[in-house]
Amino acid sequence: MLSNAQVSRTSTLWLTAALLSVLLPIWKQVPTLIILLGCLSAGWRITILLGRGQWPPFLLRLGLILIALVTVIVSFRPLISLESSVSVLAAGYALKLLEMRSQRDALIVVYIGYFLVATAVLFSQSLLQTLYLMFCLVMLIAAQQGLFRSTNAAPVVSSIRFAGLLVLQAAPLTILLFVLVPRMGPLWSVPLPDNSARTGLTDAMTPGDIARLSRSDELVFRARFAGDVPPPRQRYWRAVVLDQFDGKTWKQTDKPFSVAAMSQKDWVSRQPEIEGWWKNRQGSYQYEVMMEPTGKPWMYTLGAAGTVAENSFLYRTMRLASERPIDSRLLYSLDGMLPQARSVLMPDWLAALNTQIPDFGNDRSRQYALRLFNQAGQDPVKMAARLLSLFRLDDFYYTVAPPLYDQNSTIDEFLFEGRRGFCAHYAGAFVYLMRAAGVPARVIGGYQGGEFKEADNLIQVRQFDAHAWAEIWVAGQGWQRFDPTAAVSPQRIEAGLEAAIGNSGTFLPDSPLSLYRYRDSGIINRVRLAFEKAEYQWQRSVVNFKQDQQEAFLRSLLGDEDFYWRQGVALTIGVSVILAILSLTLLYRRQTLPPLQKLYARFLKKMARRGFVPRKGEAELSFARRISQSDDSLAEPVMSFCEAYMRAAYGEKHSEMDELKRLLTRF
């Protein structure tokens, strides 16, 4: 039992190491000052152990508590959130270690550590984080075990082995409960993590926004195809539709346009339309998307969305959105759906929305657009083709580091002076010119391309694949995609960003240690691909093991007849068997011999093979003399071994152990 006795030095070291280990996976979610408070507590405890420090006085501890509380209050808006709650728990963990004196206090510190490990899962369920949290559990179990040791000396290897064994013993029961216990919704909810600082696309675009995303290799989503995979030139992953322009920024409309003819019902749909101007037909690709959390509602689709995933809906702009912001990994399946060819005209309210441009600025671009439209016979497709030829043949350059253009005449300065830009510059200028000519057009933001993994039929998309392109309305055909970037830099579309910018040194400049930069290195790339494959399977098969998947899996094993009764029986039998096995292992413990007796047991086995077995009650030296009298060849080595054994056993000369091992090799 625990008492008010002081915590041993070894236990204190384990608890200090556990504190630093547990704080590491949540360092991004809690204020830096809380992490520093944990390091201060760990360092202070070490100085006390070394005899160079004193216990902190009451006023100092009170001051640290106030600092921690003020830090949490100042750092979080709103104050009541998951991050703020975890920060308070982390601060209490650190301060409790600093004031810990008794074994009861130490046990409280261990329990708080367990809670913090559990909260870390709320922020990330990646395979790497899971493995690290298992290590943290081993550290906490080892620290807890140290509190119950009768000796102050607790070998590191012994403590780690004991903790690891407990974790392994719990694994079968954990797996059984994971597979057989029915999935159900949470009994309560907590405020979701704040994703305001998360990188990625937004619902507004200025020319430099997407260029900044090209500096990140952060994973965005994975798409696994059931059959054929689209070629690179067709991998346009739609996310946002930007149809409003104020002269500087493109934004998207998520609410009904303020026209009397427009209603919410006309703007969103829960199912693909089979009638009307935005009806759809099925495409040729079936795929499954696993997207990373963004804190935003939009979802990624291959081209214009037509199908509706679970808990999502379609906007009139042919993009898919979730009912709530996506704060955790989301897995959904889609059938490729493309806009159906149509002969109806665009509604007036939609035409007004998609031809709107500011009344000021970019005068040269307006005049140029009208002139080009007339030269094309007022044909939108021919005008678009002329613009693509302009970008392809004139001195336009594709760059991830474009110059800054005048905010009041961005389009003019880009088209007629700078002629250097990223995809957002080309898409924005293209759409502006089409609108200036009276052609409905809009900017589409999303991702283009991705790394294809043939073995898994999977495409992996990262932030540097962010892209912007254009769509124009063609009567009788609907929205048609045009990508000005493909005209300026075909390599960007066919081979990706790295191929497009060449050896300019601007690819992932902020991530020199990114494994993606070393794809040409065979060993490093194989390690990266293997880990990414394991991560994908972990997320798909474990983290996203939902109720419908669980039930389908169990029905395939147990059958459909009396399914729930069979599920309960299987769970009861499985738990009973595992508990029985664990109980038997605890009851049956093989006696382990001390090292010295193990050596003597090996000696007896060697002698038994030569026909010599000790008689009942025969002492070691008597046994040795009998062997010596019977076999002269064994006399000297047997007597030497037994004399060394007697010195080690009764004279407490443990240095004889090495000599005994050497003598055993002579037999």
Side-chain angles (χ1 to χ4, degrees):
M1 295 180 61
L2 293 178
S3 64
N4 291 323
Q6 286 190 344
V7 183
S8 67
R9 294 171 58 89
T10 302
S11 297
T12 302
L13 287 174
W14 275 113
L15 291 169
T16 303
L19 168 70
L20 298 177
S21 301
V22 171
L23 289 180
L24 182 59
I26 58 172
W27 71 273
K28 288 185 178 180
Q29 282 73 39
V30 303
T32 303
L33 195 57
I34 301 296
I35 300 296
L36 294 178
L37 185 61
C39 296
L40 172 66
S41 298
W44 201 311
R45 291 296 310 204
I46 296 298
T47 59
I48 294 176
L49 282 180
L50 296 176
R52 299 179 181 178
Q54 298 180 352
W55 292 100
F58 172 76
L59 291 179
L60 177 59
R61 284 179 284 155
L62 181 61
L64 293 176
I65 293 174
L66 293 176
I67 290 174
L69 292 177
V70 170
T71 300
V72 172
I73 294 173
V74 172
S75 301
F76 297 102
R77 292 290 183 274
L79 179 59
I80 306 301
S81 65
L82 181 60
E83 290 93 337
S84 64
S85 303
V86 173
S87 298
V88 171
L89 191 61
Y93 187 30
L95 294 174
K96 188 62 180 177
L97 178 72
L98 190 58
E99 72 164 6
M100 178 189 69
R101 290 183 182 237
S102 68
Q103 291 180 338
R104 286 194 177 94
D105 292 338
L107 193 59
I108 293 175
V109 171
V110 171
Y111 289 158
I112 297 177
Y114 287 138
F115 275 106
L116 275 178
V117 169
T119 60
V121 179
L122 299 175
F123 298 105
S124 174
Q125 299 89 36
S126 68
L127 178 59
L128 189 61
Q129 169 113 326
T130 302
L131 294 175
Y132 180 78
L133 292 179
M134 293 296 293
F135 167 76
C136 291
L137 286 177
V138 170
M139 294 284 289
L140 288 168
I141 294 172
Q144 185 175 359
Q145 183 221 8
L147 298 175
F148 294 89
R149 282 184 177 266
S150 58
T151 175
N152 191 30
V156 174
V157 175
S158 174
S159 298
I160 292 293
R161 185 188 298 116
F162 177 84
L165 182 61
L166 286 183
V167 172
L168 290 177
Q169 289 175 341
L173 186 59
T174 302
I175 295 173
L176 181 72
L177 296 177
F178 174 80
V179 174
L180 290 178
V181 172
R183 293 286 187 275
M184 61 182 63
L187 300 179
W188 65 87
S189 61
V190 296
L192 292 172
D194 178 19
N195 290 277
S196 59
R198 192 179 297 277
T199 59
L201 288 174
T202 65
D203 54 0
M205 181 193 76
T206 54
D209 290 344
I210 295 183
R212 284 189 288 273
L213 291 181
S214 68
R215 306 172 71 89
S216 170
D217 67 340
E218 182 182 357
L219 182 66
V220 180
F221 66 89
R222 301 178 179 94
R224 191 179 69 167
F225 288 80
D228 295 336
V229 177
R233 62 180 177 275
Q234 293 184 14
R235 297 173 190 170
Y236 283 85
W237 305 97
R238 190 187 193 93
V240 296
V241 178
L242 309 172
D243 48 17
Q244 297 184 48
F245 185 55
D246 60 6
K248 176 186 176 182
T249 303
W250 291 92
K251 300 179 181 179
Q252 71 174 353
T253 301
D254 278 348
K255 297 181 180 180
F257 195 55
S258 56
V259 177
M262 187 58 190
S263 67
Q264 180 72 21
K265 182 179 179 181
D266 295 324
W267 188 246
V268 299
S269 174
R270 294 287 178 179
Q271 296 294 332
E273 295 291 324
I274 58 175
E275 298 294 339
W277 68 271
W278 65 322
K279 66 181 180 178
N280 303 279
R281 62 178 172 83
Q282 187 171 359
S284 56
Y285 300 111
Q286 287 75 44
Y287 56 99
E288 173 188 83
V289 175
M290 180 187 291
M291 64 176 290
E292 298 297 302
T294 61
K296 307 296 182 182
W298 49 76
M299 302 162 67
Y300 307 112
T301 62
L302 183 63
T307 53
V308 182
E310 183 180 3
N311 299 321
S312 68
F313 55 88
L314 278 169
Y315 277 110
R316 195 72 161 208
T317 51
M318 307 309 298
R319 71 176 186 85
L320 193 63
S322 173
E323 293 178 346
R324 59 182 60 88
I326 300 169
D327 294 302
S328 59
R329 281 187 179 88
L330 178 65
L331 182 68
Y332 57 95
S333 299
L334 292 172
D335 292 328
M337 300 291 287
L338 302 172
Q340 171 69 292
R342 53 186 70 81
S343 58
V344 295
L345 298 176
M346 174 180 283
D348 292 340
W349 60 265
L350 190 62
L353 175 63
N354 287 280
T355 54
Q356 166 269 331
I357 55 175
D359 296 331
F360 56 87
N362 301 304
D363 294 333
R364 295 176 64 186
S365 298
R366 294 167 184 266
Q367 297 171 8
Y368 177 73
L370 293 173
R371 184 168 65 251
L372 196 64
F373 189 55
N374 291 327
Q375 291 174 358
Q378 298 188 349
D379 186 327
V381 176
K382 291 182 179 179
M383 178 180 175
R386 286 174 177 263
L387 283 176
L388 296 183
S389 297
L390 171 72
F391 293 139
R392 182 184 304 110
L393 301 176
D394 280 16
D395 295 329
F396 284 91
Y397 298 94
Y398 179 78
T399 174
V400 297
L404 295 176
Y405 295 112
D406 185 358
Q407 296 183 1
N408 295 323
S409 56
T410 302
I411 308 297
D412 278 359
E413 193 171 349
F414 166 68
L415 286 175
F416 303 109
E417 298 178 21
R419 297 194 168 194
R420 301 176 66 87
F422 200 51
C423 58
H425 293 84
Y426 290 100
F430 181 93
V431 170
Y432 184 90
L433 292 173
M434 297 301 297
R435 288 189 171 195
V439 178
R442 59 195 186 187
V443 176
I444 309 299
Y447 297 86
Q448 196 284 324
E451 180 185 15
F452 178 51
K453 298 184 176 181
E454 185 175 2
D456 302 313
N457 219 34
L458 181 142
I459 294 177
Q460 188 164 270
V461 177
R462 299 181 180 274
Q463 289 294 356
F464 57 71
D465 294 314
H467 193 56
W469 60 95
E471 287 181 349
I472 69 171
W473 177 270
V474 180
Q477 300 181 37
W479 290 107
Q480 300 295 308
R481 183 179 68 228
F482 289 87
D483 189 355
T485 301
V488 181
S489 178
Q491 300 93 334
R492 165 64 186 88
I493 306 304
E494 294 291 338
L497 178 64
E498 186 177 13
I501 62 179
N503 297 320
S504 62
T506 55
F507 181 69
L508 299 180
D510 301 332
S511 305
L513 300 180
S514 170
L515 294 180
Y516 195 86
R517 293 172 61 99
Y518 305 100
R519 288 175 299 148
D520 295 333
S521 174
I523 296 178
I524 296 178
N525 196 51
R526 283 196 294 270
V527 171
R528 178 182 70 88
L529 293 176
F531 180 78
E532 289 176 349
K533 182 176 182 178
E535 174 70 25
Y536 175 74
Q537 293 299 332
W538 166 260
Q539 294 295 332
R540 187 178 184 277
S541 304
V542 178
V543 177
N544 286 278
F545 190 59
K546 298 181 180 178
Q547 182 178 3
D548 54 344
Q549 295 172 301
Q550 180 196 37
E551 185 166 331
F553 172 72
L554 292 178
R555 286 183 182 275
S556 66
L557 294 178
L558 305 176
D560 292 331
E561 186 177 356
D562 297 327
F563 169 72
Y564 294 108
W565 182 83
R566 293 186 179 188
Q567 184 180 12
V569 171
L571 179 61
T572 303
I573 294 176
V575 171
S576 301
V577 169
I578 292 177
L579 292 180
I581 294 174
L582 292 177
S583 300
L584 289 176
T585 58
L586 292 176
L587 293 175
Y588 176 74
R589 291 188 176 182
R590 188 177 60 182
Q591 295 293 328
T592 57
L593 297 175
L596 183 61
Q597 293 186 20
K598 285 184 179 179
L599 290 176
Y600 190 73
R602 289 172 57 189
F603 167 74
L604 293 179
K605 287 182 180 179
K606 290 178 180 289
M607 294 301 100
R609 286 197 293 266
R610 289 170 170 80
F612 299 104
V613 178
R615 297 168 182 168
K616 185 177 181 180
E618 188 175 24
E620 292 88 350
L621 282 178
S622 299
F623 180 52
R625 292 191 186 101
R626 183 163 60 86
I627 296 174
S628 300
Q629 293 171 359
S630 301
D631 191 338
D632 293 338
S633 64
L634 294 176
E636 191 274 330
V638 166
M639 291 302 297
S640 298
F641 177 84
C642 286
E643 289 172 356
Y645 173 76
M646 298 297 291
R647 290 194 299 270
Y650 304 108
E652 298 185 356
K653 295 182 178 179
H654 297 289
S655 59
E656 299 287 350
M657 295 290 293
D658 293 336
E659 178 67 13
L660 285 172
K661 293 178 182 178
R662 185 187 66 80
L663 290 171
L664 269 178
T665 62
R666 299 175 61 185
F667 298 104

